[in-house]
Every structure is written in C-alpha cells, then in structure tokens.
C-alpha cells in the first residue's frame, strides 16, 4: 500500500492512465507483493526507493529505459540485451 492507503498498482494506473506500460504494472505488483514496499523492490533492482516511487507516479526524470530493462530482466524473467 502507498502512503495514501491505495495499492501501488492503483496509484500507477492513476498516474499513467490507459497508457501504463506492462513493465510499470509488473513493478507495481512486485511492490504490492512485498506489502507495498517500494524500498524492497528498489534494493532488488539496484535503485533507490525514490526512483521506484517516481517511476510509478510517472514523474521520474531519469532514464526509464534502463529501469525498464532491470524490471524486464529481474521481475519478468525476460532476456534483455
């Protein structure tokens, strides 16, 4: 759950709308599966909790493509080059 009392998936869907990429939803689901802990998922991916939070809120100003690769590789078990 996020600080607003909603799930990470719900927050991501609100922020991204219908255009929410699959990997963002998978990222949000991973956070929810860990009792809403964005920090735990961030550690697994090698990022800060702030990056995960901003990515889910669609406000991250950094390289989303790099985060996407980590999510696809670590959480979606895809092969990424």
């Amino acid at each position: 759950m996020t600080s607003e009392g909603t799930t990470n998936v719900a927050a991501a869907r609100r922020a991204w709308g219908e255009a929410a990429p699959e990997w963002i939803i998978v990222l949000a689901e991973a956070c929810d599966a860990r009792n809403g802990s964005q920090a735990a998922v961030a550690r697994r991916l090698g990022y800060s909790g702030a990056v995960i939070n901003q990515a889910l809120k669609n406000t991250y100003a950094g390289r989303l493509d790099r985060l996407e690769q980590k999510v696809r590789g670590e959480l979606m078990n895809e092969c990424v080059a």
Side-chain angles (χ1 to χ4, degrees):
M1 301 259 262
T2 65
S3 59
E4 297 88 30
T6 61
T7 66
N8 286 285
V9 172
R13 288 194 188 280
R14 269 195 314 278
W16 285 85
E18 293 295 319
E22 175 189 25
W23 70 270
I24 286 287
I25 300 305
V26 168
L27 178 61
E29 289 171 342
C31 293
D32 286 340
R34 288 161 184 80
N35 295 319
S37 179
Q38 296 173 357
V41 174
R43 280 190 300 275
R44 178 174 176 187
L45 298 175
Y47 282 87
S48 70
V51 169
I52 302 305
N53 182 274
Q54 291 170 14
L56 294 177
K57 288 182 177 180
N58 197 14
T59 61
Y60 183 58
R63 298 273 314 261
L64 273 178
D65 60 323
R66 291 182 180 169
L67 178 57
E68 178 182 2
Q69 286 183 340
K70 288 294 268 187
V71 170
R72 289 189 179 281
E74 291 289 326
L75 302 178
M76 299 173 76
N77 298 317
E78 292 183 5
C79 291
V80 292

